[in-house]
């Protein structure tokens, strides 16, 4: 069972005070420290306000393509926060880290407790601590020491140090108190050593074994040991361990329960464990307990208090025979869906408890003898949470302070106030009502740190703020000040000094007091306003501010200039999309003033860098031109040129429309659909400043190649129309439609497509094409056609009507083919002979009726498979692995062969074991290869066509020739003379089972090339002429009736390109010296044979 205690206090073990001081001194505010701050604490509100003040000092900047405007200030507006520097400004303490609740283990080796506290402020705050409202005297009690703001307690003990702690931070501005933190001590005592008496019950009776835990803090977890460790009691519907009392409940004792029971408790903080003395459980011998109704022995309290968000566990267990069943219900409403039943329904667990989970809960125990129930109330409370907090405030002396803090909580929070850490009481000037603080007629003594505390009986939260009472002589930020205006415009001369209390204001011009008139007025905010200014209003104006602390003056020099005039041309321009135009902005102004320009489009600054190079800006001292290249539709709108000097700002505007192709029409709606028409409607799109002349209606279907223009009624569809009828559509086809608009500039983008609709069904109107026939088996009539595409089927239930009749007959036979994808129909009749001519036509139909037939064509019935075998079959052995077979086709007639199949098998094998080979057409010869040498084969031939195979010819016998010699020519010798090579070798002698040698084949190949030259000779010598320079490879094979024998060893001969051998220049290779000349002589006398 998880403990709800979550220690938040840092309980660290440190080696010494000096090490800790070095670790803490000069420590920056860490990210972890910020994370430890609570949102509802005073440190949160104060720190956020300080950080907001600091962050507001930064001013963002942005750049643009245009010359910058004059940024001169027209008034001396300022505030108390201007030019304020946090590093130099004094402010009261603001908590960065406050102490947290914690539990300290008394079993710890180091008896030190550290309570953390840290605050910022200027001057740097000092710290003190309170325990249970009493100041901790760190000077007098050696057990306490302060390191920075942290309180260290040495040799901590529960008797002295248990309680609530608060950190107090103060500087010259004021004092603040932290939230209080509860320090507890974790320990677990020992059970009493006194022996426990045995418990004797009858079989079937219920029993409760008491744990009686020792002193402990905080919560403990209970478990029971049966007889000896590690045998623990397993909880089920009959046995239950209460985590409230620690007792073991057995609803119905069985003989297996007899034994010794020990209660084990575990501290949730220290993990320490202790065991109770054993409690023996025995059975009485005076009989078995009969059945009895349930009795609830363990249950949750009558009233359960729980904090919002925690997990609540309600216990309920009963004794009884038979074992009772536990059920739960909520008296008002349903048990929350998130609730779970644990321990055989003895525990109702509700996680993340909320206010709506409050109410009365009932557990009921029942068995066959009866039932009983217990009812209690679950009450959820919430700690206070801030709705609004107080913030740092600066006021003048004599003004009124009004602060209000608001918090939620259950019970509803009450409020109290602190000033500099001390309770604030109501006085004649101070009012405190329900979180509101009002102080009338503020005095300098009212400055300091204030805290609003919202609390209920479950907790308290703090909100802190600093009150500053201002007292200063008037002061202006700038002096003197220059203001330029134009003739006829109103001018405002502002006077806003910094001062406390508010000063008295007076104005003078050129050392003469300004007298208000119809044209010159002094406003409530001390601004001097001049209506319809003229040159006579020029001069030096002085604003004087004074209070009891002093006075100050602000001089404003007013200059009145002639107004500026701006001309923008052209006012209207006729340019179409894709062309270019130049807009010119010319200014007439006082030459003593610099002018800056800003171009606008639709009242927004025009940024040329973000427009893809379409805009180019050119400026001189008094003109600013804007070139627009390759105009787009989006460039149309209201163009403005704003010219500005230090005196005034003038805007000239012109509307420019750039015609282009129209935009897409509105979405197309299908109003009505028939088998061949669709009535469509749409709404006009934007014409982009050129009237729409026509609309083009397009359609798309699953069988079309994209979008296609369809015929319409009317034709054409003019630009003022918003509906039309698409005609000549195909029935029973899914279509979607769109509309494209055209104007004098071009054709625009299409509209969004309509929803997909299907035209109505109709009788088919398209007949099948390419009706033909033929093939098939004997007595079959095969009719085929090209299927009608789905686009022309015109409805569901589409099929074909196949009609045929023998030539010369009158009645048609009709057969229905129900598959729309069918392309063939076969009709069989044993009565008609092969190649009987038929008249054939194919029609179509669907659920709406019959459609047209195709043209009548003549189709012949099948002629059947071949009826006779080929004749005059002959076979000739070509080599040891090849046999050539020849035959004549059968007599002409029905069943003409389309090809022939030759079967070959060995004399001692079955025909099925042999090989079959077919001709590519009506060839009457075939070469069989891959046969075994010196073997007798049987060969037969049969014809075949699309229908089947005909009878085979009678087998004939033929034997392959003996195998070629297996030995290669050996002892190759050659003599090279220039490009001529004389080559000789030992004759090859065939073995008994090999064919006799009838000659030799000499292969000559140039290295790097695939082509070989071949020479044949009946002798064992040959003279070769090498055609050109390079390396040549030569090999020799014996030739016999059985084919070619094995190849000899390759000979490599090298010749030089372009060099002829001189007379008598010889090269003898691979010959013994004594035989070289003999070999040369022999090679010269060997006759040569043509290749």
């Amino acid at each position: 069972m998880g403990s709800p205690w979550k220690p938040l206090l840092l309980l660290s073990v440190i080696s010494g005070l000096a090490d800790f001081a070095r670790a803490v001194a000069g420590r920056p505010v860490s990210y972890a420290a910020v994370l430890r701050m609570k949102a509802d604490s005073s440190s949160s509100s104060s720190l956020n306000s300080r950080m907001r003040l600091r962050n507001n000092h930064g001013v963002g900047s942005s750049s643009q393509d245009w010359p910058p405007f004059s940024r001169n200030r027209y008034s001396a507006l300022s505030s108390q926060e201007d030019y304020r520097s946090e590093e130099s400004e004094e402010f009261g303490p603001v908590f960065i880290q406050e102490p947290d609740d914690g539990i300290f283990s008394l079993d710890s080796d180091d008896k030190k407790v550290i309570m953390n506290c840290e605050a910022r402020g200027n001057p740097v705050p000092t710290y003190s601590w309170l325990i249970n409202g009493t100041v901790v005297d760190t000077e007098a009690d050696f057990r306490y020491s302060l390191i920075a703001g942290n309180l260290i307690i040495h040799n901590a003990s529960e008797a002295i140090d248990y309680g609530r702690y608060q950190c107090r931070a103060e500087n010259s501005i004021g004092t603040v108190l932290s939230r209080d933190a509860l320090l507890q001590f974790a320990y677990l005592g020992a059970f009493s050593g006194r022996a426990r008496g045995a418990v004797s019950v009858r079989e079937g009776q219920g029993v409760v074994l008491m744990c009686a835990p020792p002193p402990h803090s905080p919560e403990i977890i209970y478990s029971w040991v049966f007889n000896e460790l590690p045998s623990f009691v397993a909880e089920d519907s009959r046995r239950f361990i209460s985590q409230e009392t620690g007792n073991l409940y057995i609803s119905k004792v069985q003989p297996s329960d007899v034994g010794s029971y020990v209660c084990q408790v575990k501290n949730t903080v220290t993990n320490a464990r202790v065991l109770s003395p054993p409690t023996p459980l025995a059975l009485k011998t005076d009989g078995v307990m009969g059945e009895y109704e349930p009795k609830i022995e363990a249950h949750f309290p009558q009233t359960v208090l729980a904090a919002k968000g925690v997990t609540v566990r309600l216990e309920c267990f009963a004794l009884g025979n038979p074992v009772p069943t536990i059920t739960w219900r909520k008296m008002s409403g349903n048990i929350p869906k998130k609730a779970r039943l644990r321990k055989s329904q003895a525990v109702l667990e509700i996680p993340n408890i909320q206010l709506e989970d409050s109410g009365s809960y009932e557990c009921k125990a029942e068995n066959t003898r009866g039932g009983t129930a217990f009812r209690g109330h679950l009450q959820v409370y919430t700690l206070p949470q801030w709705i609004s907090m107080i913030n740092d405030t600066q006021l003048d002396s004599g003004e009124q302070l009004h602060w209000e803090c608001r918090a939620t909580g259950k019970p509803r929070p009450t409020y109290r106030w602190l000033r500099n850490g001390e309770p604030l009481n109501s006085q004649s000037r101070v009012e405190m009502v329900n979180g509101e603080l009002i102080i009338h007629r503020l005095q300098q003594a009212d400055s300091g740190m204030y805290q609003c505390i919202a609390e209920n009986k479950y907790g308290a939260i703090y909100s802190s703020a600093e009150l500053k009472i201002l007292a200063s002589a008037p002061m202006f930020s700038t002096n003197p000040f220059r203001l330029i205006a134009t003739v006829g415009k109103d001018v405002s001369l502002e006077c806003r000094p910094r001062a406390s209390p508010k000063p008295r204001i007076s104005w003078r011009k050129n050392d003469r007091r300004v007298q208000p008139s119809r044209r010159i007025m002094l406003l409530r905010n001390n601004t001097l306003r001049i209506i319809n200014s003229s040159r006579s209003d020029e001069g030096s104006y002085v604003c004087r501010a004074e209070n009891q602390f002093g006075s100050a003056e602000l001089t404003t020099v007013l200059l009145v200039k002639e107004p500026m005039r701006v001309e923008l041309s052209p006012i209207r321009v006729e340019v179409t999309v894709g062309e270019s135009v130049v807009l010119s902005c010319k200014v007439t102004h006082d030459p003593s003033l610099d002018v800056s320009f800003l171009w606008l489009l639709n009242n927004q600054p025009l940024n040329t860098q973000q427009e893809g190079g379409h805009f180019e800006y050119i400026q001189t001292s008094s003109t600013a031109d804007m070139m627009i290249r390759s105009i787009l539709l989006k460039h149309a709108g209201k163009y403005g040129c704003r010219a500005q000097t230090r005196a005034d700002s003038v805007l000239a505007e012109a509307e420019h429309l750039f015609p282009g192709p129209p935009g897409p029409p509105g979405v197309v709606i299908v109003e009505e659909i028939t088998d061949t028409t669709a009535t469509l409607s749409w709404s006009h799109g934007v014409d982009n400043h050129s009237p729409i002349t026509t609309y083009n209606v397009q359609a798309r279907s699953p069988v079309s190649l994209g979008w296609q223009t369809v015929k319409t009624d009317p034709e054409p569809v003019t630009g003022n129309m918003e509906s039309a009828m698409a005609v000549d559509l195909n029935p029973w086809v899914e279509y979607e439609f769109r509309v494209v608009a055209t104007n004098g500039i071009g054709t625009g983008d299409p509209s969004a497509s309509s929803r997909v609709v299907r035209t109505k069904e109709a009788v088919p109107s398209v007949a099948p094409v390419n009706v033909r026939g033929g093939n098939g088996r004997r007595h079959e009539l095969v009719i085929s056609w090209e299927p009608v595409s789905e686009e022309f089927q015109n409805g569901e239930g589409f099929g074909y009507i196949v009609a045929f009749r023998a030539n010369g007959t009158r009645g048609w036979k009709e057969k229905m083919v129900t598959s729309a994808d069918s392309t063939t129909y076969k009709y069989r009749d044993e009565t008609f002979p092969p190649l009987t001519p038929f008249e054939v036509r194919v029609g179509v139909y669907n659920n709406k009726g019959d459609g047209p037939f195709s043209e009548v064509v003549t189709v012949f019935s099948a002629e059947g498979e071949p009826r006779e075998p080929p004749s005059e079959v002959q076979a000739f052995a070509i080599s040891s692995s090849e046999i050539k077979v020849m035959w004549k086709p059968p007599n002409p007639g029905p069943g003409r062969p389309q090809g022939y199949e030759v079967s070959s098998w060995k004399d001692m094998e079955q025909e099925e074991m042999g090989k079959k080979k077919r001709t590519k057409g009506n060839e009457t010869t075939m070469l069989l290869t891959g046969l075994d040498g010196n073997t007798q084969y049987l060969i037969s031939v049969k014809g075949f066509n699309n229908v089947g195979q005909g009878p085979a010819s009678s087998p004939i016998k033929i034997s392959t020739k003996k195998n070629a010699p297996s030995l290669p020519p050996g002892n190759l010798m050659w003599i090279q003379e220039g490009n001529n090579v004389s080559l000789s070798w030992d004759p090859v002698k065939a073995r008994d089972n090999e064919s006799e040698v009838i000659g030799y084949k000499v292969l000559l190949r140039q290295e790097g090339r695939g082509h070989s030259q071949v020479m044949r000779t009946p002798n064992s010598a040959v003279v070769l002429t090498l055609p050109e320079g390079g390396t040549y490879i030569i090999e020799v094979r014996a030739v016999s009736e059985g084919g070619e024998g094995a190849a000899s060893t390759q000979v490599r001969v090298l010749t030089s390109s372009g060099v002829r051998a001189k007379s008598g220049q010889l090269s003898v290779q691979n010959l013994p010296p004594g035989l070289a000349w003999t070999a040369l002589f022999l090679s010269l006398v060997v006759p040569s044979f043509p290749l």
Side-chain angles (χ1 to χ4, degrees):
M1 176 177 179
S3 171
W5 290 88
K6 297 180 181 288
L8 301 176
L9 179 64
L10 175 63
L11 302 176
S12 60
V13 179
I14 56 176
S15 60
L17 193 57
D19 292 340
F20 180 80
R22 285 193 297 271
V24 175
R27 182 181 66 218
V29 179
S30 67
Y31 183 64
V34 176
L35 289 180
R36 287 194 295 269
M37 295 168 56
K38 286 191 175 179
D40 58 358
S41 70
S42 60
S43 62
S44 175
S45 63
S46 299
L47 181 58
N48 287 340
S49 66
R50 296 291 179 193
M51 295 178 74
R52 286 197 299 269
L53 180 63
R54 174 181 298 166
N55 292 338
N56 286 340
H57 289 162
V59 179
S61 62
S62 60
S63 60
Q64 53 183 326
D65 299 336
W66 315 107
F69 283 106
S70 172
R71 297 297 182 187
N72 290 345
R73 300 170 59 92
Y74 289 1
S75 66
L77 289 173
S78 184
S79 65
Q80 296 292 347
E81 285 77 18
D82 285 347
Y83 313 105
R84 186 171 178 181
S85 171
E86 177 137 345
E87 286 71 17
S88 61
E89 178 201 9
E90 292 187 349
F91 60 93
V94 178
F95 280 114
I96 297 174
Q97 184 179 14
E98 299 182 69
D100 293 312
D101 293 344
I103 304 175
F104 181 76
S105 174
L106 290 177
D107 297 335
S108 172
D109 295 335
D110 193 340
K111 301 295 185 181
K112 292 180 182 178
V113 177
I114 301 174
M115 307 290 287
N116 293 309
C117 180
E118 185 178 359
R120 56 193 292 268
N122 190 12
V124 176
T126 59
Y127 302 90
S128 59
W129 284 79
L130 295 87
I131 177 172
N132 299 324
T134 302
V135 176
V136 176
D137 190 349
T138 58
E139 299 293 335
D141 194 335
F142 70 92
R143 294 191 316 109
Y144 300 105
S145 60
L146 276 176
I147 301 297
N150 301 317
L151 176 66
I152 302 177
I153 307 174
H154 304 267
N155 298 320
S157 68
E158 182 185 24
I160 303 174
D161 300 313
Y162 174 88
R164 295 191 173 274
Y165 287 74
Q166 278 185 292
C167 174
R168 183 165 61 188
E170 59 184 311
N171 63 10
S172 59
I173 304 300
T175 304
V176 290
L177 282 179
S178 72
R179 62 170 176 258
D180 59 3
L182 178 63
L183 175 61
Q184 302 180 78
F185 290 83
Y187 60 90
L188 178 61
F191 280 96
S192 169
R194 187 169 53 190
R196 300 189 176 188
V199 178
S200 298
V201 295
R202 294 188 179 91
E203 181 182 350
Q205 186 178 355
V207 69
V208 180
L209 302 182
M210 312 298 288
C211 179
H216 60 272
S217 176
E219 291 185 348
I220 54 179
I221 299 174
Y222 299 92
S223 57
W224 283 79
V225 179
F226 180 56
N227 288 332
E228 61 182 12
L229 286 171
S231 175
F232 287 92
V233 174
E235 295 180 83
D236 52 26
S237 61
R238 196 172 59 85
R239 292 170 293 188
F240 175 69
I241 300 172
S242 171
Q243 294 302 321
E244 297 293 335
T245 64
N247 299 335
L248 171 61
Y249 301 84
I250 304 177
S251 64
K252 175 186 174 183
V253 174
Q254 298 176 354
S256 60
D257 297 323
V258 173
S260 177
Y261 290 84
V262 174
C263 179
Q264 175 181 275
V265 296
K266 172 185 174 183
N267 191 293
T268 57
V269 174
T270 65
N271 288 327
R273 294 175 173 84
V274 292
L275 299 172
S276 72
T279 300
L281 177 63
L283 287 181
K284 293 181 179 181
T285 59
D286 56 353
V288 176
M289 184 74 175
E291 294 184 350
Y292 64 96
E293 66 182 8
K295 179 183 179 183
I296 295 178
E297 289 289 346
H299 59 74
F300 56 97
Q302 195 80 34
T303 300
V304 178
L305 295 176
K308 177 183 175 182
V310 303
T311 297
V312 173
R313 296 174 178 84
L314 305 180
E315 294 183 348
C316 184
F317 190 80
L319 310 184
N321 187 7
V323 175
T325 300
I326 306 296
T327 57
W328 293 83
R329 68 168 177 157
K330 187 179 181 184
M331 305 309 296
S332 56
N334 298 322
I335 291 179
K337 291 183 178 180
K338 59 189 174 183
R340 298 290 183 268
L341 292 174
R342 309 288 189 193
K343 297 187 177 182
S344 300
Q345 305 189 102
V347 176
L348 175 64
E349 182 178 281
I350 309 175
N352 190 23
I353 198 79
Q354 299 297 313
L355 293 175
E356 59 267 22
D357 300 327
S358 299
S360 294
Y361 288 79
E362 180 187 82
C363 74
K364 190 172 185 180
E366 296 177 293
N367 64 10
T368 57
R369 304 296 296 178
T372 184
F374 175 81
R375 187 177 302 171
H377 188 76
L378 172 61
Q379 181 176 327
V380 180
Y381 66 85
T382 61
L383 300 173
Q385 288 185 322
W386 285 121
I387 298 175
S388 62
M389 298 183 291
I390 59 176
N391 294 309
D392 292 350
T393 302
Q394 303 181 39
L395 294 172
D396 292 333
S397 60
E399 290 188 325
Q400 174 180 294
L401 169 70
H402 185 187
W403 266 333
E404 182 178 14
C405 56
R406 284 280 179 266
T408 61
K410 187 176 182 182
R412 181 179 298 174
T414 59
Y415 303 90
R416 56 190 176 92
W417 291 83
L418 302 178
R419 180 170 65 193
N420 294 328
E422 300 296 333
L424 184 63
N425 299 318
S426 296
Q427 304 171 9
S428 59
R429 295 187 304 109
V430 180
E431 299 178 26
M432 293 179 291
V433 180
N434 291 331
E436 287 187 88
L437 171 63
I438 301 174
I439 303 178
H440 303 277
R441 301 183 304 282
L442 286 170
Q443 303 172 3
Q444 190 65 38
D446 295 322
S447 297
M449 298 298 299
Y450 287 75
Q451 290 178 283
C452 175
I453 305 173
E455 58 189 345
N456 59 20
K457 64 179 182 179
Y458 300 108
I461 53 177
Y462 290 66
S463 175
S464 303
E466 178 184 342
L467 173 63
K468 279 191 176 181
I469 307 301
L470 303 176
S472 63
M475 182 177 63
F476 292 99
S477 59
T478 59
N479 192 24
F481 189 69
R482 189 179 185 192
L483 177 62
I484 302 176
T486 57
V487 174
K489 295 295 181 68
D490 296 344
V491 179
S492 294
L493 306 180
E494 295 181 337
C495 179
R496 296 186 180 180
R498 288 185 292 167
S500 180
K502 293 180 180 179
R504 297 179 300 278
I505 303 296
S506 61
W507 283 89
R508 68 178 186 273
K509 175 188 177 185
N510 299 333
D511 297 328
R512 295 184 61 181
R513 187 178 183 84
V514 175
Q515 297 297 330
S517 63
R518 289 184 178 180
R519 210 170 55 83
I520 300 177
M521 295 175 289
L522 183 61
L523 305 182
R524 285 188 176 183
N525 62 356
N526 301 320
T527 297
L528 186 65
R529 187 169 181 79
I530 303 173
I531 307 299
N532 191 19
S533 62
S534 64
R535 288 293 183 91
S536 62
D537 294 321
E538 289 187 332
S540 295
Y541 292 79
V542 178
C543 168
R544 179 178 176 81
E546 55 184 331
N547 63 11
Q548 65 266 37
F549 298 107
S551 62
E553 292 183 345
L554 172 67
T555 301
T556 302
V557 178
L558 176 61
L559 302 176
V560 182
K561 303 289 186 179
E562 289 296 326
M564 177 172 54
R565 295 190 302 274
V566 178
E567 179 185 356
L568 180 61
S569 63
I571 298 300
R572 185 173 183 83
V573 63
E574 293 292 337
V575 179
T576 59
V577 169
E579 297 180 345
S580 301
V581 69
V582 176
L583 307 180
S584 181
C585 182
K586 297 182 180 180
V587 176
T588 303
H589 64 98
D590 189 300
S592 65
L593 300 176
D594 293 330
V595 63
S596 60
F597 296 90
L598 176 66
W599 281 93
L600 301 102
L601 175 57
N602 297 324
N603 299 320
Q604 297 297 321
L606 188 56
N607 190 331
T608 60
Q609 292 182 351
Q610 296 180 356
E611 292 296 336
H614 289 281
F615 292 86
E616 182 179 353
Y617 173 74
I618 303 172
Q619 180 184 342
T620 64
S621 59
S622 59
T623 61
D625 292 340
M626 175 65 68
M627 173 176 282
I628 312 175
R629 293 190 177 90
S630 302
I631 292 173
L632 303 178
L633 282 173
K634 67 177 182 177
H635 295 154
K638 182 169 64 176
Y639 282 80
C641 173
R642 181 182 295 278
Q644 181 167 332
T645 66
R646 296 175 60 189
D648 60 350
S649 175
V650 180
L651 174 65
E653 294 180 312
E655 188 85 18
H656 292 298
L657 304 178
F658 304 129
V667 64
V668 177
I669 299 174
V670 181
E671 304 283 357
E672 184 181 357
I673 193 79
T674 69
D675 56 346
T676 58
T677 66
T679 302
L680 312 174
S681 66
W682 60 90
S683 59
H684 291 301
V686 293
D687 61 7
N688 290 329
H689 318 301
S690 177
I692 296 175
T693 56
T694 59
Y695 286 104
N696 186 324
V697 179
Q698 298 177 345
R700 179 173 64 181
S701 70
V703 294
S704 67
L705 296 176
W707 290 95
Q708 304 290 330
T709 299
V710 296
K711 293 182 179 180
T712 59
D713 183 14
E715 181 77 33
V717 181
T718 58
N720 60 349
M721 300 178 65
E722 290 186 315
S723 65
M725 178 184 292
V727 299
D728 293 347
L729 303 177
N730 290 320
W732 199 242
V733 172
E734 288 185 340
Y735 286 98
E736 51 184 330
F737 300 92
R738 71 182 187 183
V739 178
V740 181
T742 301
N743 62 11
I745 307 302
T747 299
D749 293 330
S751 69
S753 59
S754 71
R755 63 183 176 90
V756 177
V757 296
R758 184 186 285 272
T759 51
K760 303 294 184 181
E761 291 181 287
V763 174
S765 58
V766 176
V769 297
N770 197 18
V771 178
R772 57 197 183 279
N775 299 324
R777 296 184 179 277
R778 186 178 299 177
H779 306 302
E780 280 187 349
L781 173 65
V782 179
I783 303 169
S784 60
W785 59 91
E786 289 186 9
V788 175
S789 69
E790 183 180 357
E791 183 180 6
F792 300 106
Q793 292 176 7
N794 292 6
E796 289 188 313
F798 181 85
Y800 299 95
I801 304 172
V802 181
F804 54 92
R805 64 184 178 187
N807 279 9
T809 61
R810 301 185 63 180
W812 290 90
K813 287 187 179 181
E814 292 187 349
K815 299 296 182 180
M816 308 291 285
V817 179
T818 59
S819 172
D821 298 325
S822 295
T823 60
T824 303
Y825 173 75
K826 293 181 179 180
Y827 176 73
R828 184 174 182 82
D829 189 338
E830 299 288 343
T831 62
F832 57 76
L835 297 178
T836 300
F838 284 84
E839 289 182 310
V840 175
R841 63 181 184 179
V842 181
V844 290
Y845 72 93
N846 62 16
N847 290 345
K848 299 294 286 186
D850 294 347
F853 277 91
S854 66
E855 295 292 332
V856 177
V857 298
T858 299
V859 174
F860 290 87
S861 63
E863 57 181 337
E865 65 275 5
R867 298 185 182 183
E868 297 181 4
S871 60
E872 299 184 22
V873 178
Q874 302 179 60
F876 305 94
I878 304 300
S879 66
S880 61
S881 62
E882 297 173 323
I883 294 177
K884 184 176 182 180
V885 184
M886 304 172 63
W887 62 90
K888 288 185 178 180
N891 296 324
R896 292 167 297 180
Q898 295 176 346
Y900 297 91
E901 181 180 275
V902 178
S903 300
S904 60
W905 65 97
K906 294 180 181 179
D907 190 21
M908 303 302 294
E909 294 178 348
Q910 296 295 324
E911 181 178 356
E912 292 76 15
M913 301 289 292
K915 297 180 181 180
K916 301 180 185 298
K917 187 176 180 181
R918 288 191 170 190
T919 63
K920 294 182 179 180
N922 278 320
E923 301 171 357
T924 57
T925 61
M926 178 180 291
L927 181 65
L928 302 180
T929 59
L931 305 177
D932 294 341
N934 197 25
T935 302
Q936 188 176 61
Y937 283 88
L938 281 78
I939 296 174
S940 68
V941 183
K942 65 176 69 172
F944 68 88
N945 57 19
N946 290 336
V947 179
Q949 295 181 342
S953 64
S954 299
I956 62 171
K957 293 183 179 181
I958 183 69
S959 296
T960 54
K961 296 183 181 296
K962 292 183 178 180
N963 291 329
S966 57
L967 295 175
N971 196 20
L972 264 70
M973 295 177 291
W974 73 95
I975 300 174
Q976 181 179 356
E977 180 183 4
N979 286 354
N980 294 325
V981 175
S982 298
L983 181 68
S984 64
W985 56 90
D986 290 344
V988 176
K989 185 176 182 181
R991 297 172 180 171
D992 293 342
N993 62 343
E994 295 175 347
S995 301
E996 291 295 330
V997 176
I998 59 175
Y1000 298 91
K1001 180 190 291 185
V1002 181
L1003 292 91
L1004 173 66
R1005 177 173 57 87
Q1006 190 172 5
E1007 191 172 47
R1009 297 185 182 180
H1011 178 69
S1012 299
Q1013 298 182 31
V1014 180
M1015 293 183 61
R1016 295 182 182 273
T1017 176
N1019 304 313
S1020 59
V1022 69
V1023 176
L1024 303 175
T1025 300
L1026 306 182
E1028 58 183 16
T1031 301
Y1032 288 85
I1033 299 173
I1034 304 171
E1035 65 180 27
V1036 182
R1037 295 174 182 265
V1039 178
S1040 70
E1041 288 185 345
E1044 298 178 3
S1048 68
T1049 303
Q1050 291 184 345
V1051 175
R1052 299 172 64 87
V1053 179
L1054 176 65
T1055 63
S1056 297
S1057 178
V1059 178
R1060 290 197 171 272
K1062 296 180 181 179
S1063 177
Q1065 182 180 1
L1066 300 177
S1067 175
V1068 180
Q1069 306 290 337
N1070 291 352
L1071 295 176
L1075 297 177
W1077 290 107
T1078 304
L1080 173 61
F1081 171 77
L1082 292 174
S1083 66
L1084 293 177
V1085 299
V1086 172
S1088 61
F1089 295 86
L1091 292 175

